């Protein structure tokens, strides 16, 4: 089967970073956030990543409170030399206390977290280790210094940050080279363009957009989370996708449908092509990590790497983000956008 699928091109994940497929895979939905998963279908989808050349596999210790890392472990063992494995620390949940959540960046916690991830993933080294969220109460130099120690110990190969401002990225990079920044970036979410994208380009840091499909909304697969998604789907809690906001934002998809028809593509592929072309616009490596639990969607997403939007098409899509109704989270306090607005 592998010989029948066209593999996507490879790019360097940051200056001196590993070569990865130009599109990665976000695995969160396999274990958390989007309702029930068919394990067999999810494992088949993981196999399709390798067949398509989608080699950056992204997880986090908080997804399913460790269950996502454990689910990935057999796949990682079977394809260790073919993939670049990324995971994250920093958002602490506890299986025995569903209401507990804490942001932890202290060095002692980082050392404990990496050992737990290594054990769950059943690997000796993590290729890319992200700080998932920033705790401003812990000096950034202390946190990144502890992460750098993991590199020296051979437990981690490259460091990443998630939801940081441009100033925070610059400060962290001065302590130890940062390979990648991961933050939401899509036709609906462009706050990262205020500062961190420019700093990443200047420093040679790759950008890894999460939720490049607006958590599925940009696919046109649902129009109102209140009515169409299961009770366990956390998108029901996101302001953009419920009530009057959902109606207003659905109307914004009209240009995507028109452009998609012109390319013989899906709206998801056009949304991903837009994200991918940010690399040319801003002069940096961009590797989006859409997630799915279906092989067919994985291959569809990968096909977006072969679509180039014209200047006229990009111009039509340009205003969309500024017209989106609602924030990307009900509580924006942990985002880089919130800290930038306070600066």
């Amino acid at each position: 089967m592998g010989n029948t699928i066209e593999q996507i091109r490879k790019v360097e994940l940051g200056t001196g970073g590993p070569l990865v497929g130009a599109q990665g895979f976000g695995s969160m939905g396999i274990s958390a956030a989007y309702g029930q998963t068919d394990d067999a279908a999810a494992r088949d989808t993981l196999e399709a990543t390798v067949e398509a050349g989608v080699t950056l596999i992204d997880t986090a210790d908080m997804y399913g409170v460790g269950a996502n890392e454990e689910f990935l472990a057999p796949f990682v063992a079977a394809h260790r030399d073919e993939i670049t494995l990324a995971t994250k620390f920093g958002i602490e949940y506890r299986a025995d206390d569903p209401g507990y959540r804490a942001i932890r960046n202290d060095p002692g916690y980082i050392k404990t977290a990496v050992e737990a991830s290594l054990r769950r993933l059943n690997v000796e080294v993590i290729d890319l280790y992200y700080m998932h969220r920033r705790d401003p109460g812990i000096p950034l130099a202390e946190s990144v210094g502890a992460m750098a120690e993991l590199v020296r110990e051979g437990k981690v190969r490259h460091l990443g940050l998630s939801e940081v401002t441009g100033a925070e990225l610059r400060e962290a990079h001065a302590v130890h080279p940062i390979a990648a920044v991961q933050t939401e970036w899509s036709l609906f979410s462009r706050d990262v363009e205020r500062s961190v994208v420019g700093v990443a380009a200047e420093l040679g840091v790759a950008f890894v957009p999460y939720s490049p499909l607006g958590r599925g909304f940009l696919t046109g697969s649902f129009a109102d989370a209140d009515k169409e998604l299961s009770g366990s789907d956390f998108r029901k809690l996101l302001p953009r996708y419920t009530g009057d906001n959902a109606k207003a934002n659905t109307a914004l998809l009209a240009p995507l449908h028109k452009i998609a028809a012109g390319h013989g593509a899906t709206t998801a592929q056009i949304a991903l092509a837009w994200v991918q072309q940010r690399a040319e616009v801003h002069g940096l490596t961009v590797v989006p990590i859409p997630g799915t639990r279906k092989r067919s969607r994985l291959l569809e997403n990968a096909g977006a790497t072969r679509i180039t939007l014209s200047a006229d098409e990009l111009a039509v899509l340009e205003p969309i983000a500024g017209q989106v109704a609602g924030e990307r989270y009900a509580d924006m306090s942990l985002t880089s956008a919130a800290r930038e607005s306070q600066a």
Side-chain angles (χ1 to χ4, degrees), residues 7-216:
Q7 292 212 336
I8 64 176
R9 69 184 184 280
K10 287 186 167 53
V11 296
E12 186 178 47
L13 195 68
T15 303
L19 284 178
V20 299
Q23 186 182 111
F25 179 77
S27 69
M28 180 179 76
I30 290 174
S31 303
Y34 298 128
Q36 295 298 311
T37 294
D38 180 320
D39 285 358
R43 294 200 182 281
D44 185 50
T45 301
L46 287 172
E47 291 299 323
T49 63
V50 176
E51 295 167 20
V54 175
T55 60
L56 177 61
I57 308 299
D58 182 272
T59 182
D61 60 3
M62 67 159 283
Y63 299 160
V65 196
N68 195 258
E69 291 180 327
E70 292 174 345
F71 186 88
L72 287 177
F75 167 77
V76 172
H79 300 284
R80 190 66 189 97
D81 295 337
E82 301 168 87
I83 65 170
T84 296
L85 178 63
T87 192
K88 316 177 198 73
F89 74 89
I91 305 178
E92 183 184 29
Y93 284 98
R94 294 175 180 171
D96 60 352
D97 185 357
Y100 177 86
R101 185 185 75 168
I103 306 303
R104 298 286 302 274
N105 293 173
D106 53 286
Y109 179 77
I110 293 171
K111 293 179 181 179
T112 300
V114 75
E115 294 295 344
S117 286
L118 288 167
R119 182 179 66 254
R120 286 189 293 263
L121 289 162
N122 194 28
V123 296
E124 294 183 355
V125 60
I126 293 163
D127 299 317
L128 176 60
Y129 199 44
Y130 287 100
M131 178 190 294
H132 203 166
R133 290 294 186 272
R134 169 95 172 92
D135 175 7
I138 303 294
L140 189 57
E142 287 187 16
S143 302
V144 178
M147 295 169 71
E149 183 61 29
L150 302 179
V151 177
R152 288 189 287 271
E153 293 173 356
K155 296 174 181 177
V156 170
R157 290 195 172 101
H158 303 280
L159 302 184
L161 302 172
S162 179
E163 289 284 359
V164 293
T165 67
E168 289 167 343
L169 173 57
R170 193 182 300 281
E171 180 184 352
H173 196 74
V175 176
H176 187 279
I178 302 298
V181 169
Q182 182 178 141
T183 304
E184 187 167 353
W185 197 8
S186 73
L187 278 167
F188 269 23
S189 300
R190 297 181 61 178
D191 51 74
V192 294
E193 295 173 26
R194 295 174 192 166
S195 73
V196 69
V197 167
V199 174
E202 174 192 334
L203 299 176
V205 177
F207 210 98
V208 178
Y210 72 77
S211 299
L213 294 174
R215 302 190 185 279

